[in-house]
Amino acid sequence: MEINFYIPTKVIMKRNCVLDNSSLIASYGKKAMIVTGKHSASLNGSLDDVEKTLKAKNIEYVLFNKVMANPTIDLVYEGAKIAVLEKVDFIIAIGGGSPMDAAKAIALLAKNDIKEEDLFTTTITNNVLPMIFIPTTAGTGSEVTEYSILTNDKLETKSTIASPYLFPNLALLDGKYMNSLGKATTINTCLDALCHAIEGYLSIKATSLTKALSVEALKIIASEFDNLKAFNLTTDDRDKLLYASTLAGIVIAHCGTVAVHILGYSLTYYKKIDHGRANGLLLGKFLERVSAEKQELINEILEALSMNSLKELEDKIDSLLGEKEKLTEEEIDNYATKGFAVPKLKNTIINLTKDDLKNILEKSMRG
Ligand code: NAP
Ligand code: ZN
């Protein structure tokens, strides 16, 4: 048996854990930069809790609330410039994957002079501002991963900065902030977590430990499918989905994602389809392809989901997705070519050809 497991992030999950951990939060420095999106943090109470906590401990802060979905490179350089000017000691990210990923790049760039063209290839040292993450969606798991995923217009895709030094120092999980999430974002982010758990399971990097985490995440997500569909979620259900997405985040921190995410990035970049939805659209047909060679692994995944067949899972996902976007033949060819050129495609447990990728896209999105 081989295990190689590393997660340096302190994770605290409890109702009101932001307000209740003011001393811990204050231990990261005298001045913070809050990195968040435009609106949601002020509406769901998370920003208020953070501001109250900082004020109670006399911690100064600046608010950088400009992060858009799928953050850009320009945005993180802008944020880093402000962090340097304001001499902040640490970063607090509040929001979904977009603010959390932007915060990691800002924490890095505030301490390092990295040229834009070197951003995704530079060697990262431990010279990164400390980070506290408060997720307000249950999907990306960014609070426990070492990835910052940014829109890369040069390559026309999403690109990843990855380093063990980009794990946040502290993640504070409280499902109460998710009660304001609308149905579409709740579903899309849950599909993202589902894909993380499953793609991690089907990565060559999976170990018995990451598989155990995937199974736990899948059990929880499956138990919430009906509530999701009816959009009838209590705060406890929100906690469960958040817990599952954090588990699935720890899975991808070790295994990465594979073919579904690789193809999904094109759907997001070119068709502006939300990250989680893009993955959800492709998952079923990817699994059909894997089942042709690795039925035993698919059976293990279905067992964790308490489902009898892939068809049952695909029907469930379809019922959450509603009407699907369509692609042209030309788009399918382009996205398959792009996906096939991504080195990490080789981490998929089976060998996938460019035709396999075309078939997955074709069957998923040509009706
Ligand atoms: P997101 O882009 O962070 O947020 C989507 C929308 O949800 C935004 O409009 C946001 O509004 C809103 N929102 C967030 N929390 C809310 C709440 N509690 N109530 C109401 N609205 C809320 O979406 P996401 O799916 O969480 O993140 C996607 C990003 O994460 C992508 O860039 C993807 O590449 C990345 N990702 C990263 C990892 C990783 O390991 N680092 C893994 C998977 C995905 P505001 O803008 O007003 O906040
Ligand atoms: Zn994802």
Side-chain angles (χ1 to χ4, degrees), residues 35-37 67-69 71 93-104 106 133:
V35 176
T36 188
V67 183
M68 69 292 271
I94 311 174
S98 297
M100 291 194 283
D101 283 7
K104 288 176 187 169
I106 291 171
F133 276 28

Side-chain angles (χ1 to χ4, degrees), residues 192 196 261 275 279:
D192 193 23
H196 294 166
H261 269 66
H275 173 74
N279 297 323

Side-chain angles (χ1 to χ4, degrees), residues 36-41 44 67-71 95-99 101 104 136-137 139-142 145 147-149 158 177-182 185 189 192 196 252 261 265 275-276:
T36 188
K38 290 194 177 80
H39 308 292
S40 66
N44 62 34
V67 183
M68 69 292 271
N70 306 301
S98 297
D101 283 7
K104 288 176 187 169
T136 67
T137 64
T140 71
S142 181
T145 74
Y147 311 124
S148 166
I149 303 173
K158 312 266 318 258
Y177 301 132
M178 271 145 240
N179 285 326
S180 56
L181 262 181
T185 310
T189 46
D192 193 23
H196 294 166
I252 58 165
H261 269 66
Y265 288 146
H275 173 74

Side-chain angles (χ1 to χ4, degrees), residues 135-174:
T136 67
T137 64
T140 71
S142 181
E143 67 279 6
V144 286
T145 74
E146 70 275 48
Y147 311 124
S148 166
I149 303 173
L150 304 174
T151 298
N152 184 343
D153 288 317
K154 284 208 178 78
L155 296 183
E156 298 191 345
T157 186
K158 312 266 318 258
S159 294
T160 304
I161 316 172
S163 160
Y165 299 114
L166 291 184
F167 278 106
N169 301 65
L170 174 64
L172 295 169
L173 313 184
D174 188 339

Side-chain angles (χ1 to χ4, degrees), residues 29-33 54 57-62 86 88 90:
K30 288 268 157 245
K31 187 165 184 180
M33 182 183 199
L54 294 176
K57 291 287 174 187
N58 290 317
I59 307 288
E60 278 185 74
Y61 62 90
V62 281
E86 296 281 347
V88 307
F90 65 110

